[in-house]
């Protein structure tokens, strides 16, 4: 961490601890001489000017510079101090530095009263009478400086018993010593990348604001948290009455207990020996002694909430203006205590190279011929300061061959010092959280988070809370996938390497002793062991096949290897071999079995009990003929048999399965029937799409209250029986391309989306106005269906009345008088906001709507700018000939957040369809109520939708344009 010295201009460069301002003839050889000697004896670097400036001359630039470079200014006000214009110039500059640079001012009133200085009495009044004639231009600034300095609490020395010089000097030196930082800011100048990070952290500290603030510094181990906290401590600690940098709290707490930590904390802040009898007593002492004291406290490497409660339990424990900084790897510890959290960012490539060079060469630039090797080393560290320092220092005195050897070794064996430091976060995890972390590091980095969560949940690892803990511990991150709603797990390269190091443990060359196996060469090694293999400790066996990887589908002995892994909880194997699992395959802890592209004909012979199996995925297993007996899989929740093209038989026990939630058998080309459904009350999704030989609708013999999605598209179903009514919670019914279907039955009242595209034989769909939640219907390609306009109006009647969106796709089989263009200008009637409820959008397209449609809307005050869209003219298009029409209803209340959509001054609106699509727009007359654009927004969540939203309304404040993104899929 840090920035090169050239970038550290905003950090005050302190050359001196103390600047002494005094009137030489009054105190040089007496009080000031003794004070200077005492300061020097304590190692406090003090500037004392022993020269006398001739009367009338101005203060020297060197003296001004000395003032600016001093942390503390001690001003000794004596009887004749104000006689000297030099002294008064010094004082004015000192007060300016106090205001602009945070310099501490300590006044000493040497045989004068503070009120004499503040109010210009006695000798000070006499001095100013002379100055007003000789130095009139400076008098006002001197007067303000004296007034401000005279108001600061300091020492008064007047010869009384309580104000004896020797006693006061001892107290003054003690106070100055306590106000000086224990760390030097000069160190900050050598830190790489420190400047911007310091500024970011100080902005969170809000030094100029009042109150008590607690700031957390959070990040991965070795990322520079302590370095940053120490740097800011060195820079600002002089501003506080007391300060303390308490390092290694995790380690110290484990070794010596919280009471010793409290004692050390109090002793450092108070500069006195403090004893604590118990933790509770320590809390009380901290609160009592510090609640009126302005302090800066750094609590470094906190890893337990009890540590915070013992040392900084509340803001109320500390005085006005106090700042508490906490460094930790665990963000959770900061959620209740910290006002803000600063996440440490790792070094950039340039910063990382600079830090590495500093340790590897003791220079800013790499030695000639070492540049590529340096880049390899920096790439390995991935911006982690700890790794850069350790690796650079290790390579410092090595030759080129030794460099190459060391870097090659890192590819196989990580640096132990780096790994052990990173491993501290792992060691503090609960056992289940450790398992989640190792699984993510070994199998799920940069892979879909939702898939990982399903598998981890199937292994009973409770991933939702576990993943949260890992994120807070800075072990993993969750990243968005560009241009997608997907999220993926990620982590630092060295954290991933640390996880692999843990898995290999003390037996890196013996995979039979590893908890997780994912490398092809390790599996090959185990297969070679054959029947001689001892029972293995393996919990997870995962292989992901890619082109160019060796194919182990015919590996001899693989079945025996898998059967010998008694502790397996997850198997994921691409292209598993053709033989069934042997009779001794009994992994009772198995939660997830994924055998995609397997070559088996059946999983195992006969009945097998896997009491904890929750996910069974055999997708694309082209040889599988029959399913297992589901009675032996009582906890199964997800069954995926998609594109098992030889699957002929589903074991009838599936119809009695009470735990299944998701069943996908799409693409099972030879499957002719699904067993009767007797007790599948928890089933939410049933996908039988593309089962082309499926002629009959599944026989439902009891209510399936949980079923939400039913997909029967591309099947040969002819009739939907009355038992279809036993689906009271169904939201999505997909009957697309059911070419034998003649008519639709009565639908469940809960239906929201109906898809029946490409149903060549469909003649009737019934009255759709009765379905209160139905808002999205697809009927494109239903060439025998008559009455598309009737379908449209029956749906519109219900959705417009309820201010809900509507999206309908139809085949154009009836002539229409509507005119379609790419640009439509709609002149709104004066009463549009009271008589109309929304907009009806008609689009003509030459495809089946798989591509989304974008419609730009703007208030018509000038020519519409369509520069972002196709420049094709309307004359080149004949939209009346196009077969596909999609109709959408957009209620005005969904646009209420648009500033310019106002009934007072909105008169004309332009609509522009992008991508060459024909557009027509109509107003929909309101039947029930007046539209109030100021009422509370409608909750559109009642329009149940699929994963991808059908409608998205976006507003660009700069152009004032509205864009409707419409995906009817």
């Amino acid at each position: 961490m840090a920035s090169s010295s050239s970038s550290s201009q905003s950090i005050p460069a302190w050359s001196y601890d103390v600047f002494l301002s005094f009137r030489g003839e009054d105190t040089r050889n007496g009080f000031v001489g003794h004070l200077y000697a005492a300061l020097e004896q304590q190692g406090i670097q003090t500037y004392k000017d022993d020269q006398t400036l001739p009367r009338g001359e101005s203060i020297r630039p060197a003296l001004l510079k000395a003032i600016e470079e001093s942390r503390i200014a001690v001003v000794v006000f004596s009887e004749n101090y104000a006689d000297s214009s030099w002294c008064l110039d010094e004082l004015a500059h000192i007060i300016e530095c106090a205001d602009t640079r945070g310099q501490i001012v300590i006044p000493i009133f040497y045989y004068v009263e503070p009120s004499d200085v503040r109010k210009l009495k006695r000798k000070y009044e006499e001095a100013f009478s002379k100055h007003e004639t000789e130095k009139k231009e400076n008098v006002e600034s001197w007067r303000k400086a004296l007034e401000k300095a005279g108001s600061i609490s300091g020492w008064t020395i007047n010869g009384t018993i309580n104000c004896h010089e020797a006693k006061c000097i001892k107290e003054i030196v003690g106070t100055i010593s306590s106000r000086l930082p224990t760390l030097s800011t000069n160190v900050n100048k050598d830190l790489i990348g420190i400047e911007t990070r310091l500024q970011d952290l100080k902005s969170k500290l809000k030094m100029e604001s009042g109150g008590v603030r607690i700031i957390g510094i959070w990040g991965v181990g070795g990322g520079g948290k302590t370095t940053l906290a120490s740097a800011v401590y060195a820079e600002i600690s002089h501003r506080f009455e007391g300060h303390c940098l308490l390092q290694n709290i995790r380690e110290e707490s484990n070794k010596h207990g919280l009471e010793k930590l409290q004692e050390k904390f109090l002793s450092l802040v108070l500069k006195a020996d403090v004893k604590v009898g118990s933790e509770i007593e320590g809390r009380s002492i901290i609160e009592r002694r510090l609640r009126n004291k302005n302090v800066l406290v750094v609590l470094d490497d906190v890893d337990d909430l009890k540590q915070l409660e013992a040392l900084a339990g509340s803001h109320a424990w500390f005085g006005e203006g106090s700042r508490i900084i906490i460094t930790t790897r665990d963000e959770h510890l900061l959620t209740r205590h910290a006002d803000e959290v600063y996440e440490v960012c790792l070094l950039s490539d340039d910063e990382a190279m600079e830090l590495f060079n500093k340790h590897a060469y003791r220079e800013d630039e790499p030695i000639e011929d070492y540049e590529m090797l340096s880049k390899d080393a920096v790439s390995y560290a991935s911006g982690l300061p700890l790794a850069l320092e350790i690796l650079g220092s290790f390579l410092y005195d090595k030759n080129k061959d030794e460099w190459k050897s060391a870097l090659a070794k890192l590819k196989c064996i990580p640096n132990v010092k780096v790994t052990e430091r990173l491993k501290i976060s792992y060691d503090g995890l609960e056992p289940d959280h450790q398992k989640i972390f190792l699984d993510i590091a070994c199998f799920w980095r940069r892979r879909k988070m939702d898939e990982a969560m399903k598998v981890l949940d199937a292994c009973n690892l409770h991933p939702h809370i576990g993943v949260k803990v890992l994120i807070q511990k800075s072990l993993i991150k969750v990243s968005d996938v560009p241009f997608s709603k997907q999220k993926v797990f990620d982590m630092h390269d060295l954290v991933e390497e640390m996880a692999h190091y843990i898995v290999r443990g003390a037996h890196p060359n013996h995979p039979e002793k590893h908890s997780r196996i994912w490398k092809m060469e390790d599996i090959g090694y185990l297969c070679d062991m054959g029947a001689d293999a001892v029972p293995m400790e393996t919990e997870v066996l995962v292989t992901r096949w890619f082109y160019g990887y060796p194919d182990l589908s015919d590996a001899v002995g693989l079945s025996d290897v898998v059967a010998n892994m008694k502790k397996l909880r997850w198997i994921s194997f691409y292209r598993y071999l053709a033989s069934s699992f042997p009779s001794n395959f009994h992994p009772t802890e198995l939660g997830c079995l994924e055998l995609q592209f397997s070559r088996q004909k059946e999983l195992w012979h006969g009945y097998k009990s896997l009491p904890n199996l929750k996910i069974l995925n055999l997708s694309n297993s082209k040889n599988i003929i029959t399913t297992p007996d589901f009675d032996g899989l009582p906890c199964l929740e997800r069954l995926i048999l998609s594109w098992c093209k030889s699957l002929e038989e589903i074991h009838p026990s599936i119809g009695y399965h009470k735990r299944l939630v998701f069943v996908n058998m799409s693409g099972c080309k030879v499957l002719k029937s699904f067993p009767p459904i007797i007790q599948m009350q928890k089933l939410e999704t049933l996908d039988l799409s593309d089962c082309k030989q499926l002629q009959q609708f599944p026989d439902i013999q009891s209510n399936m209250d949980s079923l939400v999605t039913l997909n029967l598209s591309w099947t040969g179903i002819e009739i939907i029986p009355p038992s279809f009514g036993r689906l009271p919670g169904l939201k999505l019914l997909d009957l697309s391309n059911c070419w034998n279907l003649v008519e639709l039955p009565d639908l469940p009242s809960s239906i929201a989306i109906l898809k029946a595209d490409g149903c060549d034989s469909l003649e009737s769909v019934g009255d759709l106005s009765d379905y209160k939640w139905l808002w999205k219907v697809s009927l494109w390609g239903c060439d025998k269906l008559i009455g598309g306009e009737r379908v449209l109006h029956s749906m519109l009647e219900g959705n417009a009345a309820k201010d809900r969106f509507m999206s309908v796709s139809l085949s154009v089989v009836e002539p229409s008088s509507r005119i379609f263009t790419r640009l439509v200008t709609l002149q709104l009637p004066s009463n549009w906001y009271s008589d109309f409820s929304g907009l009806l959008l008609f689009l003509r397209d030459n495809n089946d709507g798989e591509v989304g449609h974008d419609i730009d809307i703007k208030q018509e005050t000038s020519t519409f700018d369509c520069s972002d869209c196709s420049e094709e003219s309307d004359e080149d298009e004949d939209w009346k000939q196009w077969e596909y029409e999609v109709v959408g209803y957009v209620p005005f209340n969904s646009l209420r957040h648009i500033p310019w959509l106002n009934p007072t001054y909105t008169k004309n609106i332009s609509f522009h369809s992008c991508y060459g699509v024909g557009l027509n727009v109509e107003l929909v007359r309101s039947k029930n109520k007046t539209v109030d654009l100021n009422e509370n927004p409608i909750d559109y969540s009642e329009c149940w939708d699929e994963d991808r939203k059908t409608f998205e309304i976006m507003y660009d404040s700069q152009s004032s344009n509205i864009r409707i993104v419409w995906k009817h899929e």
Side-chain angles (χ1 to χ4, degrees):
M1 155 96 37
S3 150
S4 61
S5 56
S6 62
S7 63
S8 305
Q9 297 174 0
S10 67
I11 302 174
W14 306 118
S15 299
Y16 304 99
D17 295 323
V18 174
F19 178 90
L20 285 177
S21 177
F22 60 95
R23 181 76 163 117
E25 63 187 51
D26 288 350
T27 58
R28 177 181 285 113
N29 297 322
F31 176 77
V32 170
H34 299 316
L35 176 59
Y36 177 76
L39 290 169
E40 287 290 303
Q41 187 177 14
Q42 290 296 316
I44 298 172
Q45 192 169 3
T46 306
Y47 184 94
K48 172 174 168 281
D49 184 58
D50 288 319
Q51 295 187 35
T52 301
L53 192 71
R55 189 173 182 81
E57 289 193 19
S58 60
I59 189 169
R60 300 192 319 276
L63 208 58
L64 293 176
K65 187 171 184 289
I67 292 172
E68 293 169 0
E69 295 179 355
S70 299
R71 290 180 181 276
I72 299 172
V74 175
V75 185
V76 182
F77 291 110
S78 56
E79 279 192 348
N80 300 307
Y81 184 89
D83 288 348
S84 169
S85 60
W86 188 358
C87 288
L88 294 174
D89 280 341
E90 281 183 5
L91 179 64
H93 199 61
I94 286 169
I95 295 302
E96 181 184 345
C97 288
D99 292 338
T100 60
R101 295 170 63 83
Q103 188 178 71
I104 299 169
V105 179
I106 298 177
I108 300 172
F109 303 98
Y110 189 74
Y111 289 92
V112 297
E113 292 299 319
S115 60
D116 293 351
V117 175
R118 189 168 59 250
K119 298 180 180 180
L120 300 183
K121 294 180 179 180
R122 299 181 178 85
K123 295 286 287 184
Y124 281 74
E125 183 180 15
E126 295 172 11
F128 263 70
S129 296
K130 295 178 182 178
H131 292 317
E132 285 174 347
T133 60
E134 298 175 4
K135 292 276 187 178
K136 190 174 182 179
E137 69 277 6
N138 296 330
V139 166
E140 187 58 32
S141 64
W142 291 344
R143 190 190 309 277
K144 289 181 179 178
L146 285 166
E147 182 181 357
K148 192 162 188 177
S151 302
I152 300 172
S153 177
W155 275 264
T156 301
I157 299 174
N158 55 20
T160 62
I161 295 176
N162 292 330
C163 300
H164 192 273
E165 287 190 22
K167 179 182 178 184
C168 287
I169 287 174
K170 184 177 181 181
E171 291 178 359
I172 293 166
V173 173
T175 297
I176 290 173
S177 180
S178 69
R179 299 296 293 272
L180 291 174
T182 53
L183 301 177
S184 170
T185 55
N186 290 331
V187 175
N188 291 355
K189 297 179 183 179
D190 298 325
L191 297 174
I192 313 299
I194 196 67
E195 174 60 15
T196 55
R197 291 163 177 82
L198 263 181
Q199 295 307 317
D200 290 344
L201 179 58
K202 286 196 294 184
S203 70
K204 294 184 182 297
L205 287 170
K206 297 181 180 178
M207 294 299 297
E208 306 310 319
S209 67
V212 176
R213 282 184 67 76
I214 299 178
I215 302 299
I217 302 178
W218 167 64
V220 67
K225 300 181 296 297
T226 300
T227 301
L228 180 59
S230 300
V232 77
Y233 177 84
E235 183 173 330
I236 67 174
S237 58
H238 67 281
R239 302 188 191 184
F240 298 84
E241 295 175 60
H243 48 80
C244 162
L245 173 56
L246 199 60
Q247 291 187 298
N248 302 319
I249 287 177
R250 173 185 55 81
E251 186 177 342
E252 292 293 318
S253 176
N254 290 334
K255 284 183 179 179
H256 307 296
L258 292 174
E259 293 86 355
K260 289 295 181 183
L261 268 179
Q262 290 172 326
E263 287 181 355
K264 185 176 181 180
F265 173 49
L266 285 164
S267 299
L268 287 170
V269 174
L270 300 173
K271 307 298 180 185
D273 189 22
V274 180
K275 297 297 181 184
V276 171
S278 68
E279 181 193 332
I280 295 175
E281 182 187 2
R283 296 186 192 190
S284 178
I285 295 173
I286 293 171
E287 181 180 9
R288 189 173 66 253
R289 299 286 296 273
L290 301 184
R291 64 187 173 194
N292 295 316
K293 201 173 184 71
N294 168 262
V295 297
L296 171 66
V297 176
V298 174
L299 303 177
D300 174 55
D301 196 17
V302 174
D303 76 335
D304 195 310
L305 192 58
K306 292 180 179 179
Q307 296 159 0
L308 284 183
E309 291 172 344
L311 299 170
S314 167
H315 288 65
W317 287 16
F318 306 99
E320 175 71 16
S322 293
R323 295 294 183 265
I324 316 300
I325 299 172
I326 302 163
T327 75
T328 183
R329 303 181 185 203
D330 188 352
E331 187 188 23
H332 174 66
L333 299 179
L334 304 172
T335 53
R336 286 193 300 174
H337 277 73
D339 298 301
E340 283 194 70
V341 176
Y342 177 83
E343 182 178 1
V344 171
C345 57
L346 300 181
L347 298 179
S348 67
D349 291 343
D350 290 341
E351 290 169 339
M353 182 61 76
E354 188 176 352
L355 180 60
F356 176 77
N357 292 344
K358 176 183 173 182
H359 290 276
Y361 312 110
R362 306 295 193 262
E363 297 177 13
D364 292 336
E365 298 293 333
I367 298 173
E368 189 177 355
D369 296 336
Y370 279 72
E371 187 173 355
M372 289 308 298
L373 291 173
S374 297
K375 287 182 178 180
D376 289 344
V378 169
S379 175
Y380 169 80
S382 298
L384 191 73
L386 170 71
L388 290 161
E389 292 173 11
I390 290 176
L391 188 54
S393 298
F394 173 73
L395 295 172
Y396 171 60
D397 56 355
K398 307 296 189 296
N399 61 37
K400 187 183 291 187
D401 289 337
E402 290 167 337
W403 272 56
K404 291 179 179 179
S405 176
L407 293 174
K409 179 182 176 183
L410 289 175
K411 294 179 180 180
C412 304
I413 304 172
N415 183 282
V416 175
K417 288 183 180 179
V418 175
T419 300
E420 288 300 326
R421 280 284 296 276
L422 293 174
K423 190 171 173 285
I424 291 170
S425 297
Y426 171 84
D427 291 337
L429 297 172
E430 296 178 6
D432 276 0
H433 299 163
Q434 289 181 340
K435 289 183 177 182
I436 294 173
F437 167 69
L438 293 179
D439 280 3
I440 292 173
C442 295
F443 311 115
W444 292 111
R445 188 181 180 194
R446 301 192 183 102
R447 293 185 176 273
K448 293 179 181 177
M449 178 179 171
D450 59 344
E451 293 182 5
M453 297 296 277
K454 290 170 186 173
V455 171
L456 294 169
D457 184 67
C459 295
N460 292 317
L461 294 177
H462 311 288
H464 291 284
I465 182 61
V467 164
K468 178 72 171 179
V469 169
L470 297 180
I471 293 171
Q472 291 176 330
K473 294 275 191 180
S474 288
L475 287 169
I476 67 171
K477 291 180 180 292
V478 174
S479 305
D480 293 320
V481 178
F483 312 109
S484 169
K485 294 182 180 180
Q486 292 285 350
K487 294 182 180 296
V488 295
F489 286 124
D490 206 353
M491 63 186 61
H492 193 277
D493 291 344
L494 296 182
V495 173
E496 178 186 40
E497 189 176 81
M498 178 262 290
H500 295 176
Y501 170 82
I502 292 169
V503 169
R504 291 192 296 266
H507 309 283
N509 299 318
H510 294 276
E512 71 275 12
K513 297 184 179 181
H514 299 172
S515 63
R516 290 153 183 82
I517 295 176
W518 65 94
K519 293 183 178 181
M520 292 288 192
E521 56 266 31
D522 288 343
I523 296 174
Y525 170 87
L526 295 175
C527 290
D528 291 341
M529 294 177 67
D532 297 331
V534 297
M536 301 178 193
E537 301 297 316
T538 312
E539 296 179 23
V540 180
L541 173 64
V542 172
T543 67
R544 290 192 168 97
W545 182 85
F546 301 99
Y547 287 106
Y549 274 44
D551 188 350
L552 294 177
S553 58
D554 296 320
V556 177
L558 181 59
S559 279
D560 294 328
V561 168
V562 174
N564 211 15
M565 297 176 175
K566 305 299 183 183
K567 295 184 178 181
L568 279 171
R569 53 180 172 80
W570 176 28
I571 299 175
S572 182
F573 208 112
Y574 275 58
R575 299 194 169 196
Y576 193 78
L577 67 172
S579 59
S580 303
F581 285 110
S583 58
N584 63 338
F585 174 71
H586 285 297
T588 56
E589 298 177 29
L590 190 65
C592 181
L593 177 58
E594 298 176 312
L595 300 176
Q596 292 164 275
F597 295 93
S598 167
R599 301 186 181 184
Q600 297 170 303
K601 291 185 177 180
E602 61 176 350
L603 279 177
W604 46 73
H605 301 300
Y607 175 90
K608 188 174 290 293
S609 175
L610 297 177
N612 290 300
L613 189 67
K614 290 186 177 181
I615 297 176
L616 176 58
N617 184 351
L618 304 177
S619 60
N620 293 286
S621 296
K622 62 181 181 180
N623 295 332
I624 202 86
I625 295 174
T626 183
T627 69
D629 185 338
F630 294 101
D631 286 342
L633 314 175
C635 290
L636 191 65
E637 295 178 359
R638 298 182 63 83
L639 174 62
I640 304 167
L641 300 172
S642 55
W643 300 100
C644 293
K645 297 181 179 180
S646 300
L647 183 65
E648 299 175 354
E649 180 186 1
I650 303 172
H651 197 280
S653 58
I654 194 172
Y656 296 86
H657 206 291
K658 298 180 180 180
R659 298 284 294 274
L660 271 170
V661 174
F662 180 90
V663 173
N664 183 354
M665 296 185 178
S666 60
C668 296
K669 302 291 187 181
V670 299
L671 185 67
K672 295 182 178 180
S673 64
F674 191 90
I677 297 174
I678 314 296
Q679 291 181 329
M680 301 182 75
Q681 289 91 345
K682 288 193 175 183
L683 189 64
E684 296 176 3
T685 298
L686 177 59
D687 189 347
L688 298 173
S689 61
D690 222 350
C691 295
K692 296 188 182 298
Q693 294 195 37
L694 186 67
Q695 303 292 325
Q696 294 184 345
F697 188 85
D699 181 14
I700 303 173
Q701 298 185 13
S702 64
N703 279 2
M704 299 178 68
D705 297 340
S706 301
L707 192 67
V708 172
T709 301
L710 177 59
N711 191 343
L712 298 170
S713 61
W714 293 97
T715 61
I717 288 175
E718 300 178 10
I719 299 174
I720 298 179
S723 62
F724 183 67
R726 290 178 169 167
L727 308 175
L730 191 68
K731 299 288 187 184
L732 169 61
L733 175 61
D734 193 344
L735 298 169
S736 302
N737 298 290
C738 289
W739 53 88
N740 293 326
L741 191 65
V742 176
E743 65 176 344
L744 291 180
D746 290 338
L747 303 172
S749 60
S750 58
I751 197 73
I753 298 176
L754 171 64
K755 295 183 179 183
D757 293 326
C759 293
D760 299 340
S761 304
L762 187 64
E763 299 176 358
S764 172
V765 296
D767 185 1
L768 299 181
S769 63
D770 293 337
Y771 302 104
K772 60 182 292 188
W773 304 114
L774 183 63
W775 70 281
K776 184 175 178 181
V777 172
S778 297
L779 295 170
W780 179 83
C782 299
D783 297 336
K784 292 185 179 180
L785 180 64
I786 305 298
E789 287 283 330
R790 179 178 56 80
V791 171
L792 177 62
H793 285 101
S794 67
M795 283 192 61
L796 182 60
E797 183 177 340
N799 285 285
K802 297 181 180 66
D803 265 337
R804 288 204 302 256
F805 289 105
M806 181 190 78
S807 187
V808 179
S809 70
L810 299 164
S811 289
V812 180
V813 296
E814 302 171 9
S816 171
S817 60
R818 294 187 184 93
I819 298 174
F820 290 85
T821 61
R822 287 180 56 206
L823 177 63
V824 176
T825 300
L826 191 65
Q827 185 173 2
L828 297 175
S830 59
N831 58 346
W832 67 268
Y833 63 94
S834 59
D835 290 357
F836 297 91
S837 61
L839 302 166
L840 197 61
L841 308 175
F842 296 83
L843 291 176
R844 282 282 176 94
D845 203 348
N846 61 354
N847 61 46
D848 60 0
E850 288 299 317
V851 179
H853 303 289
D854 291 351
I855 301 172
D856 289 335
I857 308 174
K858 71 175 292 186
Q859 187 178 15
E860 183 60 27
T861 57
S862 61
T863 304
F864 193 91
D865 179 10
C866 60
S867 58
D868 292 335
C869 304
S870 173
E871 294 298 328
E872 298 177 30
S873 67
D874 292 353
E875 298 177 0
D876 295 332
E877 304 291 353
D878 186 4
W879 285 296
K880 287 188 177 182
Q881 302 301 316
W882 288 5
E883 299 178 348
Y884 174 77
E885 183 171 285
V886 59
V887 185
Y889 172 70
V890 178
F892 282 136
N893 273 329
S894 69
L895 306 173
R896 61 178 298 277
H897 62 289
I898 309 301
W900 56 259
L901 191 65
N902 187 295
T904 304
Y905 55 82
T906 304
K907 303 301 181 185
N908 299 304
I909 308 178
S910 292
F911 300 79
H912 186 274
S913 68
C914 300
Y915 316 124
V917 177
L919 172 66
N920 181 277
V921 183
E922 297 177 6
L923 290 172
V924 176
R925 188 168 293 277
S926 177
K927 293 185 178 181
N928 296 327
K929 66 182 183 73
T930 299
V931 174
D932 182 1
L933 295 179
N934 295 314
E935 71 179 9
N936 292 329
I938 295 170
D939 180 10
Y940 291 103
S941 62
E942 65 180 20
C943 292
W944 186 91
D945 209 346
E946 301 168 86
D947 290 339
R948 296 184 65 178
K949 289 184 179 179
T950 301
F951 285 102
E952 288 188 83
I953 310 279
M954 297 184 291
Y955 176 68
D956 182 355
S957 58
Q958 291 186 342
S959 66
S960 297
N961 285 3
I962 307 168
R963 171 159 288 191
I964 298 178
V965 180
W966 182 6
K967 298 184 179 72
H968 186 101
E969 299 175 349

